[in-house]
Amino acid sequence: MDITKILEYQKLDSELFKLEKALRDNPNKKTASEMSNNAKVAQQRSVGLEKKAGELLAEVDTIKKQFQIQTDKMAQVMAKNVDAMSKEEVELMLSLKDKLFQNLNILDKNLTKLAENVNAVLADFNKTIKTYNLAKEKFTQSKAAYDKDVEAVEPKKVEFEKGLLKLEKGIDADLMEKYKKRRGDNLFPVLVPLKGGRSCGGCHMELPAAEVAKLRANGILSCEHCRRIIYYSED
Ligand SMILES: [Zn+2]
């Protein structure tokens, strides 16, 4: 089998492969992907914090209501006429007053603690929103830079593809199909020479003698290990 044409094809294709690889490894693309992810994480966090803030504010409401109830009770106790009470009744009233006072103190402490929590959640929320905005901004920048990089290599890409299409016409259809299948899986180079008369030029695995004989007879052989197409070479 004459493989001169497909080797020529592969040579030009290697230029296209390099170009595609450079785009895959493009730093702007990587940054855009990272920033997109950061923005997503920050957004999820902000939703969680919003929910938390809502729960804390509901707790504040509950405590304020309890505080009002205790204050009203205290007012009732204070309004009573002590002169008309027996000694036992006065003592009972004083103990009730102490208890109400304690309750109010506890509620006040809880409220202070809650307020601190609310403030912490709000500060975290603001910080998260800043992170989100920054990530979004960096994403937009790096995405634009990447798009520009893609655009810059587009004419070269089109030129390579046109050249390949022209070369394809002189190549055996079956061989071309095999080539394209491997190339589609990012296996490159697809065609490799036989090395030292017995090894795959791609993965360096040694071939059984029978396989080498088959390769000599057919001119090409598919490597069982790396799937590359080995062609006969005296090297
Ligand atoms: Zn191999």
Side-chain angles (χ1 to χ4, degrees):
M1 182 177 280
D2 181 22
I3 54 156
T4 330
K5 285 258 163 67
I6 199 158
L7 283 178
E8 203 183 319
Y9 181 99
Q10 175 165 272
K11 201 177 165 206
L12 179 59
D13 198 15
S14 74
E15 297 299 322
L16 182 61
F17 186 81
K18 259 187 254 169
L19 202 146
E20 286 172 356
K21 191 175 184 308
L23 282 182
R24 273 201 301 274
D25 300 341
N26 184 290
N28 289 319
K29 187 189 176 192
K30 265 187 193 160
T31 308
S33 156
E34 271 170 28
M35 289 305 129
S36 162
N37 195 48
N38 287 359
K40 212 183 279 169
V41 169
Q43 207 211 357
Q44 278 165 358
R45 189 175 170 78
S46 74
V47 169
L49 287 168
E50 232 176 335
K51 192 170 166 249
K52 182 86 193 151
E55 285 164 6
L56 288 173
L57 288 173
E59 251 183 87
V60 168
D61 266 357
T62 308
I63 291 185
K64 275 185 176 167
K65 270 178 202 150
Q66 287 169 350
F67 200 90
Q68 190 58 51
I69 291 167
Q70 301 292 325
T71 310
D72 290 347
K73 277 188 188 167
M74 186 66 124
Q76 278 169 25
V77 170
M78 300 297 273
K80 278 186 180 162
N81 186 1
V82 185
D83 296 337
M85 289 180 187
S86 67
K87 199 181 161 221
E88 286 80 14
E89 280 174 330
V90 171
E91 266 168 19
L92 202 68
M93 188 208 76
L94 286 177
S95 97
L96 184 61
K97 208 177 101 184
D98 277 352
K99 206 170 162 79
L100 286 171
F101 193 70
Q102 270 172 23
N103 285 349
L104 284 172
N105 255 340
I106 290 168
L107 287 173
D108 191 47
K109 269 183 197 149
N110 286 350
L111 209 55
T112 307
K113 213 169 145 192
L114 257 180
E116 278 166 11
N117 284 347
V118 170
N119 282 340
V121 168
L122 287 180
D124 198 351
F125 181 79
N126 287 340
K127 208 176 122 197
T128 305
I129 292 296
K130 263 187 203 155
T131 305
Y132 172 80
N133 286 337
L134 196 69
K136 199 85 176 151
E137 193 187 322
K138 277 190 182 166
F139 167 79
T140 308
Q141 283 169 359
S142 44
K143 173 75 168 61
Y146 174 64
D147 287 346
K148 223 171 159 185
D149 292 342
V150 172
E151 212 179 295
V153 297
E154 190 58 24
K156 266 269 174 251
K157 202 173 159 230
V158 171
E159 186 195 315
F160 292 149
E161 282 165 353
K162 269 188 192 162
L164 288 174
L165 212 62
K166 221 181 269 175
L167 288 172
E168 194 178 324
K169 285 177 186 133
I171 299 166
D172 176 77
D174 273 358
L175 184 58
M176 197 70 245
E177 198 192 316
K178 272 184 194 164
Y179 180 98
K180 281 189 175 173
K181 209 168 166 209
R182 288 156 175 79
R183 170 67 161 91
D185 295 337
N186 278 327
L187 189 68
F188 206 87
V190 175
L191 285 132
V192 289
L194 179 72
K195 283 279 174 194
R198 57 183 180 175
S199 298
C200 166
C203 67
H204 309 294
M205 286 297 280
E206 204 171 304
L207 305 169
E211 292 288 288
V212 177
K214 227 183 346 183
L215 171 58
R216 269 178 179 276
N218 297 339
I220 56 165
L221 179 83
S222 186
C223 175
E224 281 181 16
H225 296 280
C226 69
R227 290 177 58 233
R228 286 183 168 87
I229 301 166
I230 307 167
Y231 60 90
Y232 189 75
S233 161
E234 296 287 346
D235 288 354

